[in-house]
Amino acid sequence: PGYPYKPKCMTSCKTGKMDVCTIRANFHWALSRLGKTPMTSKKEKRLLQHKMSIDPMPNKVFIMESRQIIYNHPSAQNFTHDLHDFLGLDKDLSELQPYVPPADKYAEFSNKEAVEHLIHICDEEHDEVRKDLVRIGKDAATWITKYFLESPDVYVSSKDEFIKLMDDWGHDPCSKERRL
């Protein structure tokens, strides 16, 4: 209880620190720095309220949502084929394999001391932080689906399924409606 992240975690993080900071969840900010969108509309700029430099990258980008590599997930159906085509490989990629989690769900953590600091994000004491993370997720999903994916330089596997996954980013995973 009383995890030490309020209220500073929702405004800034010092570089080099391992503090818990919701501002680091603005994944779309880093993507915007690739210069793949025009960033001319007020709506787009509102979703990207950062002061980072934009360094246009000439390369193409393949974007994925982590659930797209879950064996038998609807969004994973064409993933290896689409990634193969994007990379221009001569040899086929192996199909996705089922993941078997360890019996001890904390076994994969190499730092056992860190396990003591794990939180359950759905606990009431984390409501404020979770609300901020959901807001950031909604903004990120909106920017990625409405602006980033529109670039001819951005590729995604199973676009409709990807967009469905992105929609989840704007919903509280702990709300009673989501758990039904």
Side-chain angles (χ1 to χ4, degrees):
Y3 200 83
Y5 54 42
K6 293 180 189 175
K8 77 171 187 160
C9 81
M10 295 189 289
T11 55
S12 67
C13 278
K14 292 183 179 176
T15 301
K17 293 284 194 173
M18 296 300 290
D19 296 335
V20 175
C21 303
T22 59
I23 199 164
R24 289 183 177 152
N26 284 289
F27 177 66
H28 58 306
W29 289 5
L31 291 174
S32 74
R33 297 185 70 200
L34 301 176
K36 299 297 181 189
T37 68
M39 289 189 247
T40 52
S41 77
K42 288 181 182 179
K43 287 181 181 181
E44 182 178 10
K45 288 179 182 178
R46 184 187 59 75
L47 296 168
L48 299 170
Q49 297 180 25
H50 66 74
K51 294 175 176 48
M52 298 178 192
S53 63
I54 307 299
D55 301 309
M57 183 182 79
N59 308 71
K60 309 263 186 226
V61 176
F62 186 94
I63 187 170
M64 58 168 276
E65 207 271 5
S66 61
R67 289 172 286 178
Q68 288 185 283
I69 58 171
I70 295 175
Y71 180 76
N72 279 344
H73 192 281
S75 66
Q77 186 174 8
N78 300 314
F79 184 80
T80 54
H81 177 268
D82 292 343
L83 182 60
H84 168 274
D85 289 352
F86 174 78
L87 295 172
L89 301 176
D90 293 327
K91 184 180 176 194
D92 288 342
L93 292 171
S94 300
E95 291 300 318
L96 296 174
Q97 301 298 312
Y99 170 71
V100 180
D104 174 4
K105 68 179 179 178
Y106 300 118
E108 60 193 64
F109 289 98
S110 58
N111 183 348
K112 298 298 180 193
E113 292 175 19
V115 172
E116 297 173 24
H117 299 286
L118 294 176
I119 65 168
H120 190 293
I121 193 67
C122 294
D123 288 348
E124 188 176 327
E125 70 180 302
H126 308 299
D127 285 354
E128 184 181 352
V129 169
R130 192 176 64 253
K131 183 179 178 183
D132 195 42
L133 289 170
V134 170
R135 178 194 57 76
I136 291 168
K138 184 174 185 166
D139 286 352
T142 300
W143 183 80
I144 290 169
T145 58
K146 300 264 190 256
Y147 299 99
F148 196 62
L149 289 184
E150 295 305 309
S151 169
D153 286 348
V154 176
Y155 294 82
V156 65
S157 178
S158 303
K159 186 175 181 179
D160 291 341
E161 288 294 327
F162 177 85
I163 290 171
K164 286 180 192 174
L165 295 175
M166 295 303 298
D167 185 52
D168 282 350
W169 287 23
H171 298 283
D172 185 342
C174 304
S175 71
K176 288 180 179 141
E177 302 84 44
R178 301 291 293 174
R179 288 183 275 161
L180 294 178

